[in-house]
Amino acid sequence: MTLSSVVLKARGAHTASVIFIHGLGDSGNGWAPVAQMLARTQPHVKFILPNAPEQPVTLNGGFRMPSWYDIKSLDRIASNEDEPGMNASMMKINELIKAEIDAGIPANRIVLGGFSQGGAMTLFTGLQSEYRFGGLVVLSGYLPIRDRILKRLTDASKSVPIFQAHGTADEVVQYQYGVMTSKALSENGYSVDFRS
């Protein structure tokens, strides 16, 4: 099933696209005001804000909510993670990417970004991609299933610039996870601009 998305079409000639992935419990509409603000100075950019499917989330007592994958705990993010759920979401995100490429937007004119769980999906998707994107943007996110992903890095992803920002007082995704992610990526040859 294709993801539904909030789409802000380019106001001028469409030459670039941003696909921005929301966090747990949110929707594409939650990021629409930011996209609208950015669109004012970027008339050539189409913004695509996909909506996660609703599914039970263990962390929240099994309550169904928009989620890219199940989260069992935020205390130990590197253990017992929902890799099948991540893979299913990655396939759907890849459909959005392929649609932009098929519409004539080269991969190096596509930026993939996300917040929190969406930031994790940005790295999960971007680091394993066959495409060389214009950039990855990770806000308050982390590298999921770190040990396995670091073995699956693609050559195409190695030259993609990564912007990563994380609040030092983040109470949901701990700041140290952002720092650990930045360090792991840098140690594996990625150009990471990390901002606290």
Side-chain angles (χ1 to χ4, degrees), residues 1-151:
M1 187 171 102
T2 304
L3 293 171
S4 66
S5 300
V6 174
V7 177
L8 279 69
K9 293 183 178 174
R11 294 181 298 120
H14 176 206
T15 62
S17 296
V18 170
I19 300 170
F20 194 85
I21 307 164
H22 67 74
L24 179 66
D26 201 358
S27 71
N29 278 319
W31 286 89
V34 176
Q36 290 165 348
M37 179 185 69
L38 293 172
R40 289 187 206 126
T41 59
Q42 307 292 317
H44 61 288
V45 177
K46 174 182 177 183
F47 290 88
I48 302 159
L49 313 170
N51 297 302
E54 283 202 359
Q55 57 187 310
V57 176
T58 303
L59 178 71
N60 292 337
F63 184 75
R64 291 182 66 83
M65 62 180 51
S67 181
W68 298 105
Y69 53 89
D70 188 21
I71 298 177
K72 297 180 174 58
S73 169
L74 285 173
D75 294 330
R76 297 175 299 131
I77 59 169
S79 65
N80 199 22
E81 293 181 276
D82 179 19
E83 187 174 357
M86 291 177 206
N87 282 323
S89 287
M90 178 174 67
M91 288 175 60
K92 292 174 183 168
I93 293 164
N94 280 333
E95 288 175 10
L96 297 175
I97 294 164
K98 183 79 165 58
E100 291 307 291
I101 291 170
D102 289 349
I105 303 301
N108 68 356
R109 299 284 298 160
I110 297 172
V111 170
L112 185 62
F115 172 75
S116 195
Q117 189 186 47
M121 279 309 306
T122 294
L123 290 173
F124 188 85
T125 304
L127 298 179
Q128 297 183 82
S129 182
E130 64 187 279
Y131 299 116
R132 186 170 279 121
F133 296 113
L136 302 178
V137 176
V138 181
L139 306 179
S140 298
Y142 62 94
L143 182 59
I145 60 168
R146 183 173 56 248
D147 295 339
R148 280 171 278 175
I149 289 295
L150 293 175
K151 292 176 184 168

Side-chain angles (χ1 to χ4, degrees), residues 127 129-132 152-160 190:
L127 298 179
S129 182
E130 64 187 279
Y131 299 116
R132 186 170 279 121
R152 299 182 201 157
L153 304 173
T154 61
D155 289 340
S157 74
K158 288 285 187 156
S159 63
V160 175
Y190 287 87

